[in-house]
């Protein structure tokens, strides 16, 4: 197995940092949109009993997961474009 050159190591590190930044941005935006939706709908008013409170958290988690997963194609495109701009030799 061949060893990686310094340039390849730097490129892979840059890609990992880029992916981390894109994911952090996606998380923060999905949380902001979720909070906006919850405030707009006043979702906490639907909690009238223990069952409603117990179901509020899973529903909120599922809504956040859907919002976050919608960012996957955008993140993949950004990272692929960034990786294509790097010099590998």
């Amino acid at each position: 197995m061949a060893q990686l050159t310094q340039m390849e190591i730097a490129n892979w590190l840059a890609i990992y940092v880029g992916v981390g930044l894109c994911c952090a941005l996606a998380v923060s935006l999905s949380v902001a949109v979720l909070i906006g939706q919850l405030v707009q709908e006043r979702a906490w008013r639907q909690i009238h009993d223990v069952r409603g409170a117990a179901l509020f958290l899973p529903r909120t988690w599922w809504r956040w997961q859907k919002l976050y997963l919608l960012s996957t194609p955008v993140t993949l495109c950004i990272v692929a474009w960034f990786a294509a701009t790097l010099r590998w030799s």
Side-chain angles (χ1 to χ4, degrees):
M1 187 156 112
Q3 297 294 324
L4 295 175
T5 65
Q6 290 292 344
M7 183 179 287
E8 290 171 336
I9 292 172
N11 285 347
W12 280 110
L13 183 61
I15 290 172
Y16 283 124
V17 170
V19 169
L21 289 174
C22 284
C23 289
L25 184 61
V27 166
S28 60
L29 288 174
S30 62
V31 167
V33 169
L34 176 65
I35 290 172
Q37 288 177 351
L38 291 176
V39 168
Q40 183 179 15
E41 295 172 5
R42 301 192 191 284
W44 57 87
R45 289 187 176 181
Q46 298 172 0
I47 302 173
H48 298 292
D49 54 358
V50 176
R51 183 176 182 267
L55 291 176
F56 179 75
L57 287 176
R59 282 188 198 137
T60 304
W61 176 260
W62 176 243
R63 288 175 71 171
W64 175 76
Q65 285 291 318
K66 288 192 298 186
L67 287 170
Y68 179 69
L69 288 175
L70 284 174
S71 71
T72 301
V74 176
T75 302
L76 287 173
C77 288
I78 290 170
V79 171
W81 174 79
F82 177 64
T85 64
L86 296 174
R87 292 190 53 186
W88 291 91
S89 57

